[in-house]
Amino acid sequence: MVVCGDDGLAHRLAAELRGVYREQVTLVVPPDGRRVRQPVVGRARAASAALLDMVNAAVNRTGNADPGGADRELDATEPTEDVLADAGVERATALALVYDDDETNIRAALTARRLNPRLRLVLRLYNRRLGQHIEELLDQSATLATGDGPGSGTGTGTGAGAGSTTVLSDADTAAPALAATALVGTSKVVETDGLLLRAVERNPPRPGEVADPGLCTLALLSATSNDPAGADGSEGSGEHGPQLLPDAAAVEAATGRGTVALEQVSYSGPPLPAGRAGVPAFGELFSRRLRWSLAGLAACVVALAVALMLVTGDHPLHATYVTLLDLFSINEPAHNKDTGRQILQLLSGFVGLLLLPVLLAAVLEALGTFRSASALRKPPRGLGGHVVLLGLGKIGTRVLTRLREMDIPVVCVEADPEARGMATARRLRVPVVLGDVTQEGVLEAAKIHRAHSLLALTSVDTTNLEAVLYARSVRSRLRVVLRLYDDDFATAVYRTLRAAHPGALTRSRSVTHLAAPSFAGAMMGRQILGAIPVERRVLLFAAVEVAGHPQLEGKTVGEAFRAGAWRVLALEVPDGEVFDGGRAQGGAPERARESRLVWELPDTYVLRGSDRVVLAATRRGLAELLGRRAARRGVDV
């Protein structure tokens, strides 16, 4: 395996491949003086080396040889053809290009495909549309060069074979978890190809209540009735950590612990209003006070027309016409008319004088609204219950889009007026406060004192921490989510904030920690549908072909389930094919729906080699199930 990158994701991915999948890895990173976020990368590099030492020690205890062989690390500013050749791309099984720049990844992918047409490529691209075209181009190039059929295993395929290309985005992988974490009662979501899975955190059931397990129970939380915050700050799975994929006996025996249940839902969020990108709606075109003024003047005109009709006996239409002429002062004076008619004319003229400033205000307000339709909006007065989002970079932009898809009110804070997500904020008409979040008055302008939660997603850990500390000083029970790169730092911050504010909810999330398992799974040739954080651990969802896996093939769904490692959730059925697994329980045959996934499989259904299933797995469980070297040597991962 070859990993090329310039930030913490490259080191995290290398550590994942070495420590979990036990693969031989060649890591290509910039020289020390050119690396991005040197302290974070240094800590990630140390963690990678520590994981490798731990794996080697475990292998030595079992008496087996080094499973990964000799690992290498090359220093290179850019992944040129010579650098890729020196890294052994011609002999490699897979290559991951996780540079922060899309152009660098594309250029290196084209070079690597020419050097080795059968190489499995995994690219990190932020531009999703460009990623789809690049994926098709590289797959077609591999097919023509090798003469084989098109590789299945692209980002939308069924499984990654030799010569396949997978385009992933760390922002897309982490955005659903970050957005969901900021909302109380909003589920953690994994979404891909129309499949929407929701992991719901549920409080411990009260005495006499029966907990609804949903499709299945994914985890037992460390949170208990006496400790609502749980052990969310720790990365490990110690005595007080969460228990992933428990069996029925563990779920029944766990009293007073919260659970994470899986549900399948269809997207029900409202579509974006059509007026957001075009002409503002009437309600937004004029202010409420101006609308009331116009309504009052219209009522006066109607009243004067009715009075004129009663006084003169005119037809309603003619009375209204005469009233409007008097209103705009274009009618003849009523010198020779009776007293009632003269009084009504004077009143109409007076109403006309009131109408002029109202019409002028309406024109000026409409012009201002049209002018600001494409500009940044300010937080409206009286706004409350919203999410304050700090940072509109790659991650912040994706999270903003997710929150608006769920119709959650958002106020963004960004210091750079040319940031990547400013165009998205204008398109979605989201209020934005321009300014440094560390300066006094910026968070107040974002209505932090009435906010529902705070999402600190800037690229600087200290900025996120400072913003959270200041927000907590304004509102001590505010729900906060921090984006922190370093796990040790995140744990220390969490514990301190929890001790200082025991009644408030604090969460820390690492984008590289959430994204690395998906990239590693793609390099291993399997499609990772997504990842759901359970406290500070990660649960993966993968689509797996049953053939070639003795732990699955020929066994029933119940026998294939391994507590704490993996669990079969659904079976994919081709369109038009009838699923007869329900007959084992006496049920009627069920025809596959649009998702082509059959849920609630009976435990007696026997998995065949031609089946493709969706399963939930821990990182080590997925490595044990899919890892090539572990399966070949029989090493307990």
Side-chain angles (χ1 to χ4, degrees):
M1 301 288 178
V2 180
V3 178
C4 303
D6 58 357
D7 60 6
L9 179 59
H11 291 271
R12 177 86 68 174
L13 177 56
E16 191 86 13
L17 293 171
R18 291 167 175 167
V20 178
Y21 292 95
R22 299 192 175 188
E23 291 291 332
Q24 178 183 348
V25 180
T26 297
L27 180 62
V28 180
V29 291
D32 291 342
R34 300 289 299 275
R35 288 178 183 169
V36 182
R37 297 185 57 83
Q38 179 62 26
V40 173
V41 171
R43 287 190 290 266
R45 183 178 182 180
S48 174
L51 262 176
L52 181 60
D53 293 341
M54 181 178 63
V55 171
N56 289 336
V59 173
N60 292 333
R61 287 195 299 268
T62 62
N64 293 300
D66 183 0
D71 291 279
R72 302 171 57 201
E73 181 171 328
L74 302 179
D75 290 339
T77 304
E78 293 184 359
T80 61
E81 182 174 352
D82 294 337
V83 171
L84 293 176
D86 190 19
V89 168
E90 296 92 338
R91 304 179 306 275
T93 301
L95 167 66
L97 297 166
V98 293
Y99 290 93
D100 192 55
D101 180 53
D102 286 2
E103 182 180 351
T104 301
N105 294 328
I106 294 174
R107 184 168 59 249
L110 296 174
T111 303
R113 178 60 79 213
R114 187 178 69 253
L115 294 176
N116 185 356
R118 295 185 178 276
L119 181 68
R120 184 182 302 124
L121 289 175
V122 178
L123 278 72
R124 171 191 185 183
L125 295 183
Y126 179 79
N127 191 327
R128 287 176 288 188
R129 179 173 297 179
L130 176 61
Q132 294 177 356
H133 296 308
I134 292 296
E135 197 173 273
E136 295 173 358
L137 175 65
L138 292 173
D139 282 344
Q140 183 178 2
S141 174
T143 301
L144 294 177
T146 60
D148 299 335
S152 60
T154 64
T156 59
T158 60
S164 66
T165 305
T166 304
V167 175
L168 298 174
S169 169
D170 56 337
D172 287 334
T173 303
L178 290 170
T181 307
L183 307 174
V184 175
T186 300
S187 307
K188 302 170 184 179
V189 174
V190 172
E191 182 179 7
T192 176
D193 298 336
L195 170 67
L196 191 62
L197 302 177
R198 181 172 63 181
V200 184
E201 291 189 10
R202 293 175 176 167
N203 296 325
R206 298 178 181 178
E209 292 183 350
V210 178
D212 181 13
L215 292 175
C216 68
T217 299
L218 294 177
L220 297 174
L221 299 175
S222 59
T224 63
S225 303
N226 299 325
D227 185 13
D232 192 50
S234 62
E235 185 70 38
S237 58
E239 180 181 357
H240 301 290
Q243 183 178 353
L244 302 183
L245 300 177
D247 54 18
V251 173
E252 185 177 355
T255 57
R257 298 182 66 177
T259 61
V260 177
L262 181 68
E263 295 180 354
Q264 181 195 17
V265 296
S266 57
Y267 177 69
S268 59
L272 295 177
R276 283 184 174 171
V279 179
F282 180 80
E284 299 180 359
L285 189 61
F286 302 116
S287 65
R288 183 178 181 182
R289 181 179 299 179
L290 185 58
R291 295 198 302 270
W292 277 109
S293 299
L294 291 174
L297 290 175
C300 291
V301 172
V302 172
L304 290 173
V306 172
L308 182 61
M309 181 183 64
L310 296 177
V311 170
T312 61
D314 288 346
H315 189 273
L317 292 179
H318 185 266
T320 303
Y321 171 71
V322 172
T323 300
L324 292 176
L325 292 179
D326 293 336
L327 186 71
F328 296 117
S329 300
I330 57 178
N331 196 10
E332 295 181 358
H335 293 296
N336 302 322
K337 303 295 181 177
D338 52 26
T339 304
R341 175 68 182 86
Q342 293 174 348
I343 293 175
L344 289 176
Q345 190 176 56
L346 291 176
L347 291 176
S348 299
F350 179 73
V351 174
L353 293 176
L354 297 178
L355 180 62
L356 291 178
V358 174
L359 292 178
L360 179 61
V363 172
L364 295 177
E365 192 169 289
L367 290 176
T369 303
F370 277 106
R371 184 171 58 253
S372 61
S374 60
L376 295 175
R377 301 183 64 193
K378 295 182 179 180
R381 296 180 179 179
L383 178 65
H386 58 287
V387 175
V388 177
L389 175 63
L390 309 184
L392 285 176
K394 290 183 177 180
I395 306 300
T397 303
R398 290 287 193 256
V399 174
L400 172 62
T401 303
R402 292 280 181 172
L403 291 173
R404 290 307 302 132
E405 287 176 353
M406 294 185 288
D407 202 34
I408 303 299
V410 185
V411 174
C412 300
V413 179
E414 175 57 54
D416 183 11
E418 302 298 328
R420 182 188 296 267
M422 298 298 283
T424 302
R426 290 189 181 96
R427 177 175 58 85
L428 299 178
R429 305 197 69 201
V430 174
V432 178
V433 177
L434 287 176
D436 188 354
V437 71
T438 61
Q439 296 179 352
E440 186 177 358
V442 175
L443 283 179
E444 283 82 355
K447 316 294 183 185
I448 192 64
H449 57 285
R450 292 199 297 265
H452 175 275
S453 56
L454 171 67
L455 266 170
L457 302 181
T458 69
S459 58
V460 182
D461 288 359
T462 54
T463 299
N464 295 335
L465 178 58
E466 183 176 354
V468 167
L469 293 177
Y470 181 75
R472 278 284 168 83
S473 68
V474 176
R475 186 178 177 185
S476 60
R477 298 185 65 87
L478 179 69
R479 180 180 178 88
V480 298
V481 180
L482 295 85
R483 173 192 176 187
L484 298 177
Y485 283 80
D486 183 54
D487 289 329
D488 294 336
F489 183 50
T491 301
V493 168
Y494 165 80
R495 290 174 178 172
T496 304
L497 288 175
R498 178 186 172 190
H501 304 279
L505 290 176
T506 305
R507 297 292 183 267
S508 58
R509 295 288 181 252
S510 169
V511 174
T512 57
H513 178 72
L514 295 174
S518 296
F519 281 82
M523 292 189 71
M524 296 302 298
R526 300 299 187 269
Q527 183 188 15
I528 303 296
L529 302 179
I532 286 180
V534 179
E535 299 183 1
R536 286 196 60 80
R537 299 185 66 190
V538 174
L539 196 62
L540 303 177
F541 292 83
V544 178
E545 300 285 349
V546 174
H549 299 292
Q551 303 95 330
L552 302 177
E553 189 172 3
K555 296 187 177 182
T556 65
V557 173
E559 294 172 346
F561 169 51
R562 180 178 296 183
W566 62 76
R567 178 171 188 165
V568 176
L569 299 177
L571 173 69
E572 181 172 320
V573 180
D575 289 332
E577 182 175 322
V578 176
F579 172 69
D580 58 356
R583 295 177 181 174
Q585 295 180 335
E590 179 181 348
R591 186 170 296 275
R593 293 186 172 89
E594 294 180 358
S595 65
R596 299 171 59 195
L597 291 173
V598 176
W599 298 87
E600 298 182 356
L601 292 172
D603 289 341
T604 54
Y605 176 77
V606 179
L607 298 174
R608 299 168 296 180
S610 59
D611 288 340
R612 181 171 181 261
V613 297
V614 174
L615 54 82
T618 62
R619 291 191 299 173
R620 293 190 178 275
L622 190 63
E624 181 179 354
L625 183 64
L626 306 181
R628 296 179 297 137
R629 300 183 185 276
R632 189 163 58 241
R633 288 180 169 85
V635 180
D636 185 14
V637 180

